Amino acid sequence: MKLGIINSAFGQAGMDTATGLGHIARIGFDTVDIFTEAMTISKKEKLLIKRTCEKKNLPIVSVVVVATGLIDFNDPVREFHVARCKKFVDLAAEFGAKNILLVLGEYIWQREVIAPEEQWQWGIETCRELGDYAEKRKVDIALELEPFRLSLLNNVAEMVRFVDECKHPRVKANIDISHLVLSDTSPAELKKLKGKAIHVHLSDCDGKVHGDLPPGRGVVKFAPYLQAIKELEIDGVVSIELEYAPDPKRIVQWVEEAYCETAKLMELTGLRG
């Protein structure tokens, strides 16, 4: 697998897009995932991203989108978010990316007012529609497992159930290692995602709350998870996800640390190649 990073690490620290991509290439990453807004991104910004990545020999693999409205109980809201996600599929295709990384939402009102089965079905329907559209653009959809109590996809069993019920060749799973730890998921459970996972996120955490830290700054034991991922034989990327560096002025060192530690981990398990 290749080693990448989501460029939001630099964007959230206030660094401009081109400079951030330049650091990603210089540090040694194989690929990059792009965090942006497909509905409002300008032609100038798209061209900047595309040309910078081409110049730096930095392939774009994924485009990230959070679309909680895909499971909203209002028809017009779901329709808007389907249209919005199609814009991300278009953007991914324009960038030559393999997938959009899609984050679904949470069950509303503690699963009490609206039957959770209805929200689940809305998710299936909207993802099938997106899968049909993505097929035309030759782009995959990687669903992210979120470890929060009311998240629609908050454990491996629910992810497997969703992918199986969706029954669309373009709709698959993303594996986020720190999210697995936070959802009390053992490495052994990853075998259930054989043939269903296409992308990986890697970050550390304190074992209690969402953290997105560089490896070694938390409690995650990465080796068993990386070995389990290796056994899945995914033809994809391990992308580092870093959010909200404690000192934005030292974001470059923060990313360099994450790169070095992740590269070591992937080398130890023979995963990078």
Side-chain angles (χ1 to χ4, degrees), residues 31 38 41 69 75 83 107 142 145 151 175 181 210 228 239 257:
T31 66
I41 188 172
D75 293 351
Y107 291 108
L145 184 157
S151 293
I175 297 172
V181 172
H210 193 270
S239 290
E257 175 186 334

Side-chain angles (χ1 to χ4, degrees), residues 16 22-23 29 48 68 71 123 139 149 151 153 225 253 271-272:
D16 68 272
H23 281 301
F29 287 97
L48 172 68
T68 60
I71 58 172
V139 172
R149 184 173 61 87
S151 293
L153 306 177
Y225 288 100
Q253 292 89 333
L271 189 57
R272 190 177 184 185

Side-chain angles (χ1 to χ4, degrees), residues 14 21 26 31 50 74 118 135 143 164 181 187 198 202 209 217 219-220 264:
L21 291 172
R26 175 191 59 77
T31 66
K50 195 170 183 179
N74 297 289
E118 291 190 43
E135 171 60 31
L143 299 167
D164 285 348
V181 172
I198 56 175
L202 185 148
V209 298
R217 296 234 175 202
V219 301
V220 176
K264 290 177 186 176

Side-chain angles (χ1 to χ4, degrees), residues 162-236:
F162 191 92
V163 172
D164 285 348
E165 290 186 18
C166 198
K167 293 181 181 178
H168 200 292
R170 288 289 178 180
V171 181
K172 301 292 185 180
N174 171 70
I175 297 172
D176 189 307
I177 295 177
S178 70
H179 291 185
L180 294 177
V181 172
L182 292 168
S183 62
D184 296 320
T185 301
S186 71
E189 289 188 59
L190 289 181
K191 63 185 178 183
K192 299 174 184 176
L193 291 172
K194 181 77 171 180
K196 304 179 192 295
I198 56 175
H199 198 59
V200 175
H201 281 175
L202 185 148
S203 62
D204 212 334
C205 67
D206 66 2
K208 299 177 181 178
V209 298
H210 193 270
D212 285 344
L213 306 170
R217 296 234 175 202
V219 301
V220 176
K221 307 298 183 186
F222 288 97
Y225 288 100
L226 291 175
Q227 182 59 42
I229 289 169
K230 182 180 179 181
E231 292 170 7
L232 295 179
E233 299 180 321
I234 299 171
D235 180 20

Side-chain angles (χ1 to χ4, degrees), residues 32 64 116 141 150:
V32 66
V64 181
I141 297 170
L150 292 177

Side-chain angles (χ1 to χ4, degrees), residues 3 7 10 23 32 37 49 74 76 100 130-131 166-167 185 238:
L3 173 53
N7 75 321
F10 287 106
H23 281 301
V32 66
E37 176 49 63
I49 292 171
N74 297 289
I100 64 167
L130 289 174
C166 198
K167 293 181 181 178
T185 301
V238 174

